[in-house]
Amino acid sequence: MKYIEININCSAERYSGGIIIIPTRHRAALIRDFGKPLTIEEVPTPAPKDAEVLVKVISAGICHSDIHLWAGDYRPVGVPKTLPWILSHEITGVVVAKGDKVPETIKVGDRVLVYPWGFAEEDERTLSGYTQLARKRARLSIDIPGGLQEYLLVQHYRYIVNIDGLEDPQAVAPLACAGLTTYNAVKKIKPYVGPDEHVLVVGLGGLGTYAVQWIRALLPHANLLVADIRDEAIEFVSKLVKIDAAVNPVKEDPVKTITEITKGEGVKAVIDLVGLSQTIGTYLKTLTTLGVYAMVGLMSYEASIPVPHVIRNEIKIFGVYTGSLGDQHEVIKHARKGSINYVKAISKRFRFEEKEVNEAIKSVAEAKHLGRVIVVL
Amino acid sequence: MKYIEININCSAERYSGGIIIIPTRHRAALIRDFGKPLTIEEVPTPAPKDAEVLVKVISAGICHSDIHLWAGDYRPVGVPKTLPWILSHEITGVVVAKGDKVPETIKVGDRVLVYPWGFAEEDERTLSGYTQLARKRARLSIDIPGGLQEYLLVQHYRYIVNIDGLEDPQAVAPLACAGLTTYNAVKKIKPYVGPDEHVLVVGLGGLGTYAVQWIRALLPHANLLVADIRDEAIEFVSKLVKIDAAVNPVKEDPVKTITEITKGEGVKAVIDLVGLSQTIGTYLKTLTTLGVYAMVGLMSYEASIPVPHVIRNEIKIFGVYTGSLGDQHEVIKHARKGSINYVKAISKRFRFEEKEVNEAIKSVAEAKHLGRVIVVL
Amino acid sequence: MKYIEININCSAERYSGGIIIIPTRHRAALIRDFGKPLTIEEVPTPAPKDAEVLVKVISAGICHSDIHLWAGDYRPVGVPKTLPWILSHEITGVVVAKGDKVPETIKVGDRVLVYPWGFAEEDERTLSGYTQLARKRARLSIDIPGGLQEYLLVQHYRYIVNIDGLEDPQAVAPLACAGLTTYNAVKKIKPYVGPDEHVLVVGLGGLGTYAVQWIRALLPHANLLVADIRDEAIEFVSKLVKIDAAVNPVKEDPVKTITEITKGEGVKAVIDLVGLSQTIGTYLKTLTTLGVYAMVGLMSYEASIPVPHVIRNEIKIFGVYTGSLGDQHEVIKHARKGSINYVKAISKRFRFEEKEVNEAIKSVAEAKHLGRVIVVL
Amino acid sequence: MKYIEININCSAERYSGGIIIIPTRHRAALIRDFGKPLTIEEVPTPAPKDAEVLVKVISAGICHSDIHLWAGDYRPVGVPKTLPWILSHEITGVVVAKGDKVPETIKVGDRVLVYPWGFAEEDERTLSGYTQLARKRARLSIDIPGGLQEYLLVQHYRYIVNIDGLEDPQAVAPLACAGLTTYNAVKKIKPYVGPDEHVLVVGLGGLGTYAVQWIRALLPHANLLVADIRDEAIEFVSKLVKIDAAVNPVKEDPVKTITEITKGEGVKAVIDLVGLSQTIGTYLKTLTTLGVYAMVGLMSYEASIPVPHVIRNEIKIFGVYTGSLGDQHEVIKHARKGSINYVKAISKRFRFEEKEVNEAIKSVAEAKHLGRVIVVL
């Protein structure tokens, strides 16, 4: 492909003493058939209008939901709407052009994270800060094409979060989903956890990698327990933060072990990143009186809960879905303050080539890597 | 039985120009065998010491949990500890004597409600206002003998709630359990319900009778939906408050009907007073985004919940167990301000005679009466 | 002026079987000199683009801040930016045309209230629901021209609140400021006020007229006290809602009187709609332990507070500024549910003629009318 | 004084293989005349009954309010009630005897902190967790004699907080007032402070020493600013925690400096430990929109606040008074987890001899020492 300097009819600007080169067409990784390898092909580069922003992609994270989209698992609920489709909702990039209503605080050349949980229409939820729960959602890779391509048109400048000051912009990408969702979950349990109380993270995959770090950052005086059926996953997070105790339910009775660890008290909060009927049914029982359960993982349609335990202990269960734009800004501020190590959370970086992109998909589908996987453009 | 004026070694006082007559022995309705008729027998009248208060019982409500205690259903969890046992945790009475540490604000002659969800030892929960969730509970009729007797020794003056100004002290009794628990439930959902949003009460038995009233009192601008399989129960509460819509799941698909009633929006809050797997599984699905579900009823050990619906809509589920002493005071203040009609909530008053007491038990066991049933002493 | 049907280059539509007639120029009441009579002159009618909406004004309320703007009192802080200027931020109207990004839920012909506390740029506050506290505000009549004109261009469809179902659209207008601000204030104190506790409203002018109604609607079980130096103002609100007690500080010592009324307890919450050093200094002292003080009125630059009373009783003081767009939607829902009588709150309706408009200004400046004053177009 | 083993009619027990020696009389430091040197004299040792606990004092902190009590400054409000009087409400000690209603979890030999903000009668505030705001307070050294004596009778076991595991029990004492009050203040502001926002502590005396540590512990991702007129005080706290910026209002315009430090944004929260009209008037102005101001210091009767700034930015002002028993337990748990360095907060330890005790008083009165001063028994 030949790159030329073009006028794409918007405020592309010179910056850093150089010139922004925006091609009229760019490469994108496309789903042409569900479950078949992605193909990298050329697509037109759109010009941003009004409040839109054009971003040259730096990095695109691969999330489990991308695997489901790719496999066609969500066709029963109508997503994606069409083929071909472009995956990835964890995007960092550089602003290369912007519409005429984009404020001056957003500049060509800015390194940014794209908040992916946008909406098509403002409503009372978006106006109350629940941007991710809009009636008409416009989520990257789910409702609108994602960022596994060289240039991404962002619908509105409000979704642009400046990441200047973060040294590894590639590694920042998963903070838009894995990092954001776990932050939302930990914020929800935070008011309920006092000093020296116990918090349990169930499931130490991509999200767990961030969850344990948020707990250490936001609840430094809590005791951190983790549960996973893979010892290597426990080992992986143990290198990121201090774990007070770990449980492998394959090897031991988790309720019994946790009861012992907590001297009969039980845990005050659970972050369930798995969401199997088995995890929900089991770990709700480990909660003490006035405990809270954050349901994040979505691996089952139905789960059985122990009704008397929930009632007699006035337990609270919170559904957690991604996070708001307000949360997203806080996540980046935390990253800047060093609250979490977002670099070590990345276990593998793939290049934006057909073979590697498909390896990245396969890697997540088969849970080959701990931590989070990104494609670097 | 012969009543004589006696000195029972505490500050029994003359009042209302008369003399308090406290017999050394009094009549109590005893469980001698689980599931067998109660017998009314004489038991010693204790003298209150320190912070204790002796109350002459006016009225004792019969709750479903009394039926379970009577039938011996709770023996697996060790309650009651001994036989004979005395039922009822919904008590009003008159203060007739008090220990020397009881403050002057509590006077012999006061008409009072007894808060039944006491504790044996103060801990960080009782000190934070969760009096009903103490580590060591001393609950009337469950952990310590109840009030289905002429005189009740109250362990501490803190459990005494003055009900002066309420015209029908007999009818006040169920405000200690049915009225209190539903108040706690409605308070928990209240911050989440805006004007013109929908609240659904599932189950219109004893508790439902109060729940619909609390919703009208605390959320006057919400729309009130009810669901019950008995048309007569729907009719009963419709006489107490204005119901906006009613659903009989025997006759119609409740999810479909509620979707229609709410024009596709769903309800913002559910108060589930049944707690069957069926009700929880069904009515969680009627919740809209950011909806809340108060689990009060306890009729099943396990219930299946729709995980994706809870997560994608950030739904909250709250266990609700009786209520705190702070709630109890508020309940009585509300009754005094006319927020609820506690008199009409009483459907049947039995006399404190062996035959009638056993009829009261049978009546609740067989759910013969709508509203609430009390025994009048 | 000659009205002709014109194409103003946007989606003006036929409705109600008729045709929308939008003149290219329309009449507006202009400030040409601070403190001088307004003049009604012709100005161009703009065509809405993108997310903009053109509204034909039904009614424009006159607020005290309009008087300050008119008098030039705010020139030290730079508002208004230019002359001529157009007053009024309490606007109802009919949608007559809309830009191409306005959703279909907003239709030509809709009767609407315009939320006036908009912003020029989204930021983390607007995204968290504090739309009125944006860094770059675009408030009607303060930062951008107001609605005292026949046609108003609304910057974004998000500010359009449908008022269908409200019978008197003229009278709805003050719900955008007087009604909204007091709603925000009452919502802020609401979580702190229990049954049978006392709430005091200080100042029974335009805002007080709504505040007493919100307290009755949102805190039906509180006792309502009011304070004003004008007996006729007390009388005016007494016709709208039941007042439990009134204090005229000219005639009595307000602290002493309130102490007596509350039997030594004090009030749990104060809504201060005056904001003089005298009211703040005086009425903070009437608060009981854990009481809350909503500061709304803005009649002084400095006010002296009783420090030990605030500290020893852990009192909370909340600044209250207009209200959010979320609040605005709730206000209209409440009006629809009959929570408040917005019609009786209007004491005088002026016509949109030079003489009457200036009389309206004078009337508010001299506080001639109780309740709220509007200009009807 | 001759110590003998005596029976004081309660459950004094042998422990640690030894014998508890409780004298019938013990030494206490008495105020005989306001403002005159304390005298150490013998007083009777009471025997604990019921829920009471007798503690052998290890350490007694000297607080500024002790100086006021000693000087007679509080006589206008009726405290202390009588002379002679015993100062100090910051007490650690060893349990040496207990009444028959004290639970087994409290053992003779336990090292404990005494929560000093007790009450004479339970009420709806104590029952809701606001133990320090009771209607009838029984506060050590204010309402009942304090702990500057060898043996202290604690009114109820609920005030006993186990401090086992804390290596320096002497240094723990000020956690009952200076440490507790600042914890309460930081908890109140905590929900409002996001990552990378600024918190300002005004006044770096005894309380400031703890406040800066709580901010670092509970808000690790905030920026910490401090203000004091004494450079040595700034230096003292800088050795305890990392300070991001310091302001000396004697040397610079604090509002200007803080505006610069925060790049025009202002601070999100202020903890004012001084409470002069000057500090309140000045530092309220440094708050950004939606900022919070914790008023803790009590050095003036009246303070002037900038009304428009508070209203237009929806600022919140919170009175903070000591802390609850729940807070007290959390403070000790935090100390155990290493959240704060309570040892370095102690700048001087005096012995329990007449000369040294009076030097301790003088030292605090003249603010000779930074940090906190204790008397060791």
Side-chain angles (χ1 to χ4, degrees), chain A residues 49-52 101 103-105 120-122 124 126-131 136 156-158 325-326 329 333, chain C residues 49-52 101 103-105 120-122 124 126-131 156-158 325-326 329 333:
Chain A
K49 291 176 301 179
D50 299 338
E52 295 169 352
K101 288 199 179 156
E104 295 196 0
T105 47
E121 227 169 74
E122 298 194 21
E124 84 283 10
T126 65
L127 285 165
S128 305
Y130 293 100
T131 42
K136 299 202 176 170
H156 196 280
Y157 68 82
R158 73 167 76 90
L325 190 36
H329 279 277
K333 282 180 186 168
Chain C
K49 292 176 303 179
D50 299 339
E52 294 169 353
K101 289 198 178 154
E104 295 198 359
T105 46
E121 229 169 74
E122 298 195 21
E124 84 282 11
T126 65
L127 285 165
S128 304
Y130 293 99
T131 42
H156 195 280
Y157 68 82
R158 75 168 75 88
L325 190 36
H329 278 277
K333 283 181 185 167

Side-chain angles (χ1 to χ4, degrees), chain D residues 225-349:
Chain D
L225 277 57
V226 295
D228 202 292
I229 54 173
R230 300 163 298 171
D231 283 343
E232 64 276 20
I234 292 171
E235 199 183 340
F236 182 77
V237 299
S238 298
K239 287 172 186 164
L240 290 168
V241 296
K242 183 176 166 285
I243 304 295
D244 290 301
V247 181
N248 184 332
V250 170
K251 299 181 175 172
E252 55 202 322
D253 174 350
V255 176
K256 191 162 161 280
T257 303
I258 289 166
T259 302
E260 283 166 17
I261 291 167
T262 60
K263 293 168 187 163
E265 176 69 20
V267 302
K268 196 61 184 294
V270 174
I271 310 276
D272 185 343
L273 304 170
V274 177
L276 285 171
S277 188
Q278 212 171 344
T279 58
I280 295 172
T282 300
Y283 295 106
L284 266 170
K285 286 176 199 148
T286 69
L287 282 175
T288 183
T289 298
L290 293 168
V292 290
Y293 199 92
M295 281 177 52
V296 184
L298 201 53
M299 287 182 67
S300 59
Y301 285 102
E302 297 278 334
S304 188
I305 64 170
V307 177
H309 187 71
V310 169
I311 290 178
R312 287 187 188 140
N313 293 291
E314 290 217 341
I315 281 168
K316 293 178 170 65
I317 302 172
F318 298 143
V320 177
Y321 181 71
T322 71
S324 72
L325 191 35
D327 293 333
Q328 186 70 84
H329 279 277
E330 291 182 16
V331 161
I332 295 303
K333 283 180 185 168
H334 270 296
R336 230 179 242 131
K337 294 290 279 184
S339 307
I340 57 161
N341 191 329
Y342 65 93
V343 177
K344 281 201 181 167
I346 306 298
S347 52
K348 179 80 182 168
R349 303 182 191 213

Side-chain angles (χ1 to χ4, degrees), chain A residues 105-171:
Chain A
T105 47
I106 293 172
K107 289 184 173 53
V108 168
D110 284 353
R111 288 175 199 278
V112 298
L113 178 76
V114 180
Y115 174 75
W117 312 107
F119 44 85
E121 227 169 74
E122 298 194 21
D123 61 33
E124 84 283 10
R125 293 176 198 154
T126 65
L127 285 165
S128 305
Y130 293 100
T131 42
Q132 81 273 35
L133 298 172
R135 291 173 188 283
K136 299 202 176 170
R137 303 181 187 182
R139 297 162 295 180
L140 275 189
S141 86
I142 299 173
D143 307 307
I144 56 176
L148 201 51
Q149 54 177 326
E150 290 174 322
Y151 289 87
L152 176 68
L153 184 74
V154 180
Q155 308 294 308
H156 196 280
Y157 68 82
R158 73 167 76 90
Y159 304 132
I160 295 293
V161 181
N162 192 299
I163 61 168
D164 281 347
L166 290 174
E167 289 187 12
D168 186 346
Q170 292 175 4

Side-chain angles (χ1 to χ4, degrees), chain C residues 182-195:
Chain C
T182 47
Y183 182 70
N184 183 4
V186 176
K187 267 185 80 176
K188 278 200 169 57
I189 66 159
K190 188 183 163 192
Y192 303 94
V193 180

